[in-house]
Amino acid sequence: MAKDPVCGMQVDEKIALKGKRGKIDYYFCSEECRNKFLEKDLKGKELNNQNAKEKTNSCRIKITGMHCASCVSKIEKVLNSYPGVKKAVVNFASETAFVDYNGGKINESELKKAIEKAGYTVDDAEGDSAFLKISGMESQHCAGIIERTLKKLKGVNDVKINLATEKATVYYDKNFVNISDLINAIKNAGYGATRAETMDIEKEAREKEIRTLKIKLILSLVFGIPLTYITMSHLIGLSVSKFIMDYSLFIQFIFATPILIIGHNIYTSGFKAIFKNKSPNMDSLIAIGTGAAYLYSIIVSFFVIMGAGNYSSSDLYYEVAGLLIVFILLGRYFEAIAKGRTSEAIKKLIGLQPKTAIVIRNKKEQEIPIEDVVAGDIVIVKPGSKIPVDGIVLEGHSSVDESMVTGESLPVEKLKGSTVVGATINKTGTFQFKATKVGADTVLSQIIKLVESAQGSKAPIQQLADLISAYFVPAVVGISIITFLVWYLLGYGITFGLTAFIAVLIIACPCALGLATPTAVMVGTGRAAEFGVLIKNAKALQTAHEVDTIIFDKTGTLTKGEPEVTDVFTFNHFDKNEVIKFASIAEKRSEHPLAESLLKYAKKNKIEVPDAQKFNSLTGRGVEAKYRHRAILLGNKRLMKDKFILIKNAEVKANELENEGKTVMFLALNNKLAGIIAVADILKEDSKEAIKELSNLGKNIIMITGDNERTAKAIAKKLGIDNVLAEVLPGDKAKEIKKLQENGKKVAMVGDGINDAPALAQSDLGIAIGSGTDIAIESGDIVLIKNSLKDVVVAMKLSKYAIKKIKQNLFWAFIYNLLGIPIAAGVLYPFTGWLLSPVIAGAAMAFSSVSVVSNSLLMKRYKPK
């Protein structure tokens, strides 16, 4: 095996493309990589190597133990303080940290240790995971043997074996070991092993969390319902037995204590955040509030039993402490269910991946796990099966459903040399192809990576919420203490002051603030991906609706980028087929871009095109050729005039066609005008409609092109575009955008992502038109994989809707706290005689987060009109 020097893929030397620099042979996975490599000089290569050393690495770390936005701020602050960390963003909704870092200064292991040092738990499972079905295990001793066997393999990070289900989850680094190695190791240990259905580890973890919360909730209700009856039945006229009345103090203690034990992790997390991390979180507020209520009740109980002081069972707060924990668990249970639904877009994308591939190795067909396919493998695809990885067809033909990538419902014909994309569905024939992109390099993997990255990013609108969250918990603790002291000093007593103190602590909810933006971003970017619009980050999601000016590149964006024959007019009694035939004969040996359009047109109309007997290119004018007894001239007006061909009858029609932005070719046979042929880079079917819809949204539309002004204005007129920037060189497009920005415009640039890279980078929002296989375009903030301009409209509308949801979430989160805290503190008591019960405060707090997540989830129903 050899390594492709351009993309780094492992390739089989026997079937790989070969290239030479000096006396050294190099091997490549594709023609594209070979061409790129051979075009570089040695100096360029050295610069690339230097750039590789400075290249930013990215990692995604799962975190448990976060309970509110203040936890997010804490972890981000810790990570960003380390040398080598360029950017660290923590997503509370997905419980994930996304870190960009310099691999030469810090590694992923050190980042994980930093998170753990901050007091949070990192998922120990690193790298890839395999789910294996094991046979022959009879006891825990057998499970231990298998676990030790697997852990001896280099690259195996962790092994979890379930004896009851006879399944093992193995976490490993695919750079050192693959699934086949794992299976062989188990077999060598004397047990059977096969690859089971792929398990979604994150889904399993989420379901485990939901199951745990459900059990805790049910157990807490078992004790909470009797506690509620004992303490509150008299409020609604229900009778309570004398025995319960006499021993109410002890019974309340007996029912409340187990509830607090069930919710013990709230206390461990809350007090750990205060005393170890010096950064109190939401659990700290709950722990202080319910802990104070519980301890106060125990002290009062002691005084009542001892007959000391003027206390009675009515001064107890056991039900407050117990029922608050019940409401917290109820809220977190619903929140966990709702948060799990925010990442469904990723789960759908992952589910598209096939699990196995049929490859030819040692001249035999073998079915292997998808993870074991390497670049250069010859892969066989049979009718009805999914194409496992990206590649180039070598033998056979078929039609392939590529709707997963392009959104097109009609199958695409695949012949030798055609490109195929992993996870698309083969419909009819059988074919073989050479794998060129595998694993993380496939189109689908890059789509998943882009969506994951977008879901973990932060929108600028979130900055205010982050700033408030950083100071929120300490401020609430301060307000609650002041509240207690004020009421106590005013003479309302400890019980009244403690009620207000607990209510303030409990009603405050930084969770809603922390979830407001990331849940909307996760659902919004996921929904966009379902429409074929890849929004790379939350900033792009926010910026899209703020744009007031949209610049469209012409060639390949508004137009198809390939000239086509649009009109054929005949003169002097020649027919249309004759004109096309002789024009094609003349152009058959030409390399001019217009030649291909003529030959395609002839083929489409089933016109045979023989070879010319003589051919000569006339620079700047056209071509001349001879076929049998015919002398053929094909070119512009200048050629016709130079050869004294009369074209007066055709000039009016030619001028009309040129005014429409078309290129006109004159054909003369034996010095006599035979016809004119108009060729144009025709508009995409949806360009005009997309421009109209964007104009209706109030956007200023500009077309930019290198074409002459006459042609550019003709095309713009067809599209309904009033503003045209013509004769602009590719390198000057960015300068034109900068001029608009200096005049206060917020500019989006729509281009093909390659020639327009500088302009896309300069714009406030770069929108790259991709064909699916170009999915890794770096310059654009948004990638339209269906190659449809109507998706620009989708991006704008979805952005507006997503920001509307974020603003709604932030508004209710802020209002909830701005109104809730003063009410809990008792500001209404002097006027109404009413003080908020901590139990009601707890219920309100528990459901505030659920309401924010639920509002974000409404975006899943969004359909652009």
Side-chain angles (χ1 to χ4, degrees), residues 203-222:
K203 181 182 177 183
E204 185 77 6
R206 179 72 70 189
E207 288 177 351
K208 183 180 178 182
E209 179 190 9
I210 292 171
R211 284 195 301 270
T212 302
L213 284 169
K214 185 177 181 180
I215 292 168
K216 287 186 175 183
L217 176 61
I218 292 170
L219 289 174
S220 66
L221 286 170
V222 168

PDB file of all heavy atoms in Angstrom, residues 203-222:
ATOM      1  N   LYS A 203     -27.335   7.959  20.925  1.00  0.00           N
ATOM      2  CA  LYS A 203     -28.751   7.647  21.118  1.00  0.00           C
ATOM      3  C   LYS A 203     -28.931   6.731  22.324  1.00  0.00           C
ATOM      4  O   LYS A 203     -29.841   6.913  23.133  1.00  0.00           O
ATOM      5  CB  LYS A 203     -29.302   6.978  19.855  1.00  0.00           C
ATOM      6  CG  LYS A 203     -30.783   6.639  19.943  1.00  0.00           C
ATOM      7  CD  LYS A 203     -31.240   5.934  18.692  1.00  0.00           C
ATOM      8  CE  LYS A 203     -32.719   5.530  18.807  1.00  0.00           C
ATOM      9  NZ  LYS A 203     -33.175   4.782  17.626  1.00  0.00           N
ATOM     10  N   GLU A 204     -28.041   5.744  22.439  1.00  0.00           N
ATOM     11  CA  GLU A 204     -28.093   4.812  23.571  1.00  0.00           C
ATOM     12  C   GLU A 204     -27.914   5.566  24.892  1.00  0.00           C
ATOM     13  O   GLU A 204     -28.613   5.308  25.872  1.00  0.00           O
ATOM     14  CB  GLU A 204     -26.998   3.751  23.399  1.00  0.00           C
ATOM     15  CG  GLU A 204     -27.026   2.653  24.437  1.00  0.00           C
ATOM     16  CD  GLU A 204     -28.118   1.628  24.195  1.00  0.00           C
ATOM     17  OE1 GLU A 204     -28.794   1.694  23.163  1.00  0.00           O
ATOM     18  OE2 GLU A 204     -28.304   0.767  25.056  1.00  0.00           O
ATOM     19  N   ALA A 205     -26.944   6.504  24.896  1.00  0.00           N
ATOM     20  CA  ALA A 205     -26.687   7.287  26.112  1.00  0.00           C
ATOM     21  C   ALA A 205     -27.901   8.146  26.467  1.00  0.00           C
ATOM     22  O   ALA A 205     -28.276   8.262  27.641  1.00  0.00           O
ATOM     23  CB  ALA A 205     -25.450   8.166  25.910  1.00  0.00           C
ATOM     24  N   ARG A 206     -28.508   8.753  25.438  1.00  0.00           N
ATOM     25  CA  ARG A 206     -29.683   9.599  25.673  1.00  0.00           C
ATOM     26  C   ARG A 206     -30.844   8.763  26.203  1.00  0.00           C
ATOM     27  O   ARG A 206     -31.537   9.170  27.144  1.00  0.00           O
ATOM     28  CB  ARG A 206     -30.080  10.280  24.360  1.00  0.00           C
ATOM     29  CG  ARG A 206     -31.293  11.178  24.456  1.00  0.00           C
ATOM     30  CD  ARG A 206     -31.010  12.448  25.218  1.00  0.00           C
ATOM     31  NE  ARG A 206     -30.140  13.324  24.468  1.00  0.00           N
ATOM     32  CZ  ARG A 206     -29.592  14.411  24.968  1.00  0.00           C
ATOM     33  NH1 ARG A 206     -29.826  14.758  26.215  1.00  0.00           N
ATOM     34  NH2 ARG A 206     -28.796  15.168  24.239  1.00  0.00           N
ATOM     35  N   GLU A 207     -31.049   7.589  25.612  1.00  0.00           N
ATOM     36  CA  GLU A 207     -32.138   6.719  26.066  1.00  0.00           C
ATOM     37  C   GLU A 207     -31.895   6.223  27.485  1.00  0.00           C
ATOM     38  O   GLU A 207     -32.838   6.081  28.266  1.00  0.00           O
ATOM     39  CB  GLU A 207     -32.286   5.542  25.100  1.00  0.00           C
ATOM     40  CG  GLU A 207     -32.887   5.949  23.754  1.00  0.00           C
ATOM     41  CD  GLU A 207     -32.965   4.796  22.778  1.00  0.00           C
ATOM     42  OE1 GLU A 207     -32.390   3.717  23.075  1.00  0.00           O
ATOM     43  OE2 GLU A 207     -33.593   4.960  21.718  1.00  0.00           O
ATOM     44  N   LYS A 208     -30.620   5.955  27.811  1.00  0.00           N
ATOM     45  CA  LYS A 208     -30.284   5.536  29.170  1.00  0.00           C
ATOM     46  C   LYS A 208     -30.594   6.656  30.165  1.00  0.00           C
ATOM     47  O   LYS A 208     -31.134   6.422  31.253  1.00  0.00           O
ATOM     48  CB  LYS A 208     -28.801   5.160  29.248  1.00  0.00           C
ATOM     49  CG  LYS A 208     -28.382   4.636  30.614  1.00  0.00           C
ATOM     50  CD  LYS A 208     -26.901   4.272  30.624  1.00  0.00           C
ATOM     51  CE  LYS A 208     -26.469   3.794  32.014  1.00  0.00           C
ATOM     52  NZ  LYS A 208     -25.012   3.474  32.047  1.00  0.00           N
ATOM     53  N   GLU A 209     -30.259   7.904  29.773  1.00  0.00           N
ATOM     54  CA  GLU A 209     -30.536   9.055  30.634  1.00  0.00           C
ATOM     55  C   GLU A 209     -32.040   9.201  30.851  1.00  0.00           C
ATOM     56  O   GLU A 209     -32.497   9.442  31.980  1.00  0.00           O
ATOM     57  CB  GLU A 209     -29.980  10.329  29.988  1.00  0.00           C
ATOM     58  CG  GLU A 209     -30.252  11.590  30.797  1.00  0.00           C
ATOM     59  CD  GLU A 209     -29.909  12.862  30.053  1.00  0.00           C
ATOM     60  OE1 GLU A 209     -29.621  12.799  28.844  1.00  0.00           O
ATOM     61  OE2 GLU A 209     -29.951  13.935  30.680  1.00  0.00           O
ATOM     62  N   ILE A 210     -32.824   9.031  29.786  1.00  0.00           N
ATOM     63  CA  ILE A 210     -34.280   9.155  29.891  1.00  0.00           C
ATOM     64  C   ILE A 210     -34.841   8.052  30.783  1.00  0.00           C
ATOM     65  O   ILE A 210     -35.718   8.307  31.622  1.00  0.00           O
ATOM     66  CB  ILE A 210     -34.921   9.125  28.482  1.00  0.00           C
ATOM     67  CG1 ILE A 210     -34.549  10.399  27.707  1.00  0.00           C
ATOM     68  CG2 ILE A 210     -36.437   8.987  28.580  1.00  0.00           C
ATOM     69  CD1 ILE A 210     -34.938  10.371  26.235  1.00  0.00           C
ATOM     70  N   ARG A 211     -34.341   6.817  30.609  1.00  0.00           N
ATOM     71  CA  ARG A 211     -34.815   5.700  31.450  1.00  0.00           C
ATOM     72  C   ARG A 211     -34.498   5.961  32.923  1.00  0.00           C
ATOM     73  O   ARG A 211     -35.342   5.731  33.802  1.00  0.00           O
ATOM     74  CB  ARG A 211     -34.142   4.394  31.008  1.00  0.00           C
ATOM     75  CG  ARG A 211     -34.696   3.800  29.729  1.00  0.00           C
ATOM     76  CD  ARG A 211     -34.256   2.347  29.557  1.00  0.00           C
ATOM     77  NE  ARG A 211     -32.807   2.204  29.532  1.00  0.00           N
ATOM     78  CZ  ARG A 211     -32.068   2.257  28.432  1.00  0.00           C
ATOM     79  NH1 ARG A 211     -32.638   2.475  27.255  1.00  0.00           N
ATOM     80  NH2 ARG A 211     -30.751   2.093  28.486  1.00  0.00           N
ATOM     81  N   THR A 212     -33.285   6.445  33.200  1.00  0.00           N
ATOM     82  CA  THR A 212     -32.878   6.725  34.582  1.00  0.00           C
ATOM     83  C   THR A 212     -33.769   7.797  35.204  1.00  0.00           C
ATOM     84  O   THR A 212     -34.236   7.662  36.342  1.00  0.00           O
ATOM     85  CB  THR A 212     -31.404   7.178  34.625  1.00  0.00           C
ATOM     86  OG1 THR A 212     -30.583   6.151  34.047  1.00  0.00           O
ATOM     87  CG2 THR A 212     -30.944   7.441  36.045  1.00  0.00           C
ATOM     88  N   LEU A 213     -34.003   8.881  34.439  1.00  0.00           N
ATOM     89  CA  LEU A 213     -34.848   9.962  34.951  1.00  0.00           C
ATOM     90  C   LEU A 213     -36.282   9.488  35.166  1.00  0.00           C
ATOM     91  O   LEU A 213     -36.945   9.904  36.124  1.00  0.00           O
ATOM     92  CB  LEU A 213     -34.823  11.141  33.973  1.00  0.00           C
ATOM     93  CG  LEU A 213     -33.559  12.005  33.986  1.00  0.00           C
ATOM     94  CD1 LEU A 213     -33.531  12.958  32.798  1.00  0.00           C
ATOM     95  CD2 LEU A 213     -33.461  12.797  35.299  1.00  0.00           C
ATOM     96  N   LYS A 214     -36.757   8.603  34.290  1.00  0.00           N
ATOM     97  CA  LYS A 214     -38.122   8.083  34.424  1.00  0.00           C
ATOM     98  C   LYS A 214     -38.263   7.273  35.708  1.00  0.00           C
ATOM     99  O   LYS A 214     -39.263   7.418  36.441  1.00  0.00           O
ATOM    100  CB  LYS A 214     -38.453   7.214  33.206  1.00  0.00           C
ATOM    101  CG  LYS A 214     -39.901   6.727  33.182  1.00  0.00           C
ATOM    102  CD  LYS A 214     -40.171   5.938  31.910  1.00  0.00           C
ATOM    103  CE  LYS A 214     -41.621   5.473  31.851  1.00  0.00           C
ATOM    104  NZ  LYS A 214     -41.894   4.701  30.608  1.00  0.00           N
ATOM    105  N   ILE A 215     -37.277   6.414  35.973  1.00  0.00           N
ATOM    106  CA  ILE A 215     -37.305   5.603  37.203  1.00  0.00           C
ATOM    107  C   ILE A 215     -37.269   6.509  38.433  1.00  0.00           C
ATOM    108  O   ILE A 215     -38.037   6.323  39.395  1.00  0.00           O
ATOM    109  CB  ILE A 215     -36.126   4.617  37.219  1.00  0.00           C
ATOM    110  CG1 ILE A 215     -36.316   3.549  36.130  1.00  0.00           C
ATOM    111  CG2 ILE A 215     -35.985   3.946  38.585  1.00  0.00           C
ATOM    112  CD1 ILE A 215     -35.085   2.708  35.868  1.00  0.00           C
ATOM    113  N   LYS A 216     -36.381   7.507  38.414  1.00  0.00           N
ATOM    114  CA  LYS A 216     -36.278   8.436  39.544  1.00  0.00           C
ATOM    115  C   LYS A 216     -37.585   9.202  39.742  1.00  0.00           C
ATOM    116  O   LYS A 216     -38.025   9.415  40.884  1.00  0.00           O
ATOM    117  CB  LYS A 216     -35.122   9.415  39.314  1.00  0.00           C
ATOM    118  CG  LYS A 216     -33.745   8.804  39.485  1.00  0.00           C
ATOM    119  CD  LYS A 216     -32.667   9.878  39.378  1.00  0.00           C
ATOM    120  CE  LYS A 216     -31.287   9.304  39.681  1.00  0.00           C
ATOM    121  NZ  LYS A 216     -30.242  10.327  39.660  1.00  0.00           N
ATOM    122  N   LEU A 217     -38.184   9.614  38.627  1.00  0.00           N
ATOM    123  CA  LEU A 217     -39.441  10.369  38.707  1.00  0.00           C
ATOM    124  C   LEU A 217     -40.541   9.517  39.322  1.00  0.00           C
ATOM    125  O   LEU A 217     -41.275   9.975  40.216  1.00  0.00           O
ATOM    126  CB  LEU A 217     -39.845  10.845  37.312  1.00  0.00           C
ATOM    127  CG  LEU A 217     -41.180  11.572  37.208  1.00  0.00           C
ATOM    128  CD1 LEU A 217     -41.177  12.837  38.053  1.00  0.00           C
ATOM    129  CD2 LEU A 217     -41.495  11.899  35.741  1.00  0.00           C
ATOM    130  N   ILE A 218     -40.662   8.269  38.863  1.00  0.00           N
ATOM    131  CA  ILE A 218     -41.705   7.379  39.395  1.00  0.00           C
ATOM    132  C   ILE A 218     -41.501   7.138  40.888  1.00  0.00           C
ATOM    133  O   ILE A 218     -42.447   7.206  41.685  1.00  0.00           O
ATOM    134  CB  ILE A 218     -41.718   6.041  38.616  1.00  0.00           C
ATOM    135  CG1 ILE A 218     -42.195   6.277  37.172  1.00  0.00           C
ATOM    136  CG2 ILE A 218     -42.614   5.021  39.308  1.00  0.00           C
ATOM    137  CD1 ILE A 218     -42.023   5.078  36.263  1.00  0.00           C
ATOM    138  N   LEU A 219     -40.259   6.857  41.292  1.00  0.00           N
ATOM    139  CA  LEU A 219     -39.965   6.624  42.707  1.00  0.00           C
ATOM    140  C   LEU A 219     -40.260   7.863  43.542  1.00  0.00           C
ATOM    141  O   LEU A 219     -40.802   7.772  44.648  1.00  0.00           O
ATOM    142  CB  LEU A 219     -38.494   6.217  42.873  1.00  0.00           C
ATOM    143  CG  LEU A 219     -38.121   4.807  42.372  1.00  0.00           C
ATOM    144  CD1 LEU A 219     -36.615   4.604  42.460  1.00  0.00           C
ATOM    145  CD2 LEU A 219     -38.852   3.735  43.186  1.00  0.00           C
ATOM    146  N   SER A 220     -39.897   9.040  43.008  1.00  0.00           N
ATOM    147  CA  SER A 220     -40.146  10.278  43.764  1.00  0.00           C
ATOM    148  C   SER A 220     -41.647  10.540  43.906  1.00  0.00           C
ATOM    149  O   SER A 220     -42.102  11.059  44.936  1.00  0.00           O
ATOM    150  CB  SER A 220     -39.458  11.465  43.089  1.00  0.00           C
ATOM    151  OG  SER A 220     -40.026  11.749  41.829  1.00  0.00           O
ATOM    152  N   LEU A 221     -42.421  10.167  42.877  1.00  0.00           N
ATOM    153  CA  LEU A 221     -43.873  10.345  42.959  1.00  0.00           C
ATOM    154  C   LEU A 221     -44.501   9.392  43.974  1.00  0.00           C
ATOM    155  O   LEU A 221     -45.515   9.727  44.620  1.00  0.00           O
ATOM    156  CB  LEU A 221     -44.508  10.121  41.576  1.00  0.00           C
ATOM    157  CG  LEU A 221     -44.305  11.243  40.554  1.00  0.00           C
ATOM    158  CD1 LEU A 221     -44.765  10.808  39.178  1.00  0.00           C
ATOM    159  CD2 LEU A 221     -45.059  12.504  40.999  1.00  0.00           C
ATOM    160  N   VAL A 222     -43.922   8.198  44.112  1.00  0.00           N
ATOM    161  CA  VAL A 222     -44.418   7.225  45.100  1.00  0.00           C
ATOM    162  C   VAL A 222     -44.410   7.846  46.496  1.00  0.00           C
ATOM    163  O   VAL A 222     -45.332   7.630  47.297  1.00  0.00           O
ATOM    164  CB  VAL A 222     -43.569   5.933  45.067  1.00  0.00           C
ATOM    165  CG1 VAL A 222     -43.877   5.050  46.284  1.00  0.00           C
ATOM    166  CG2 VAL A 222     -43.809   5.169  43.780  1.00  0.00           C
TER     167      VAL A 222
END
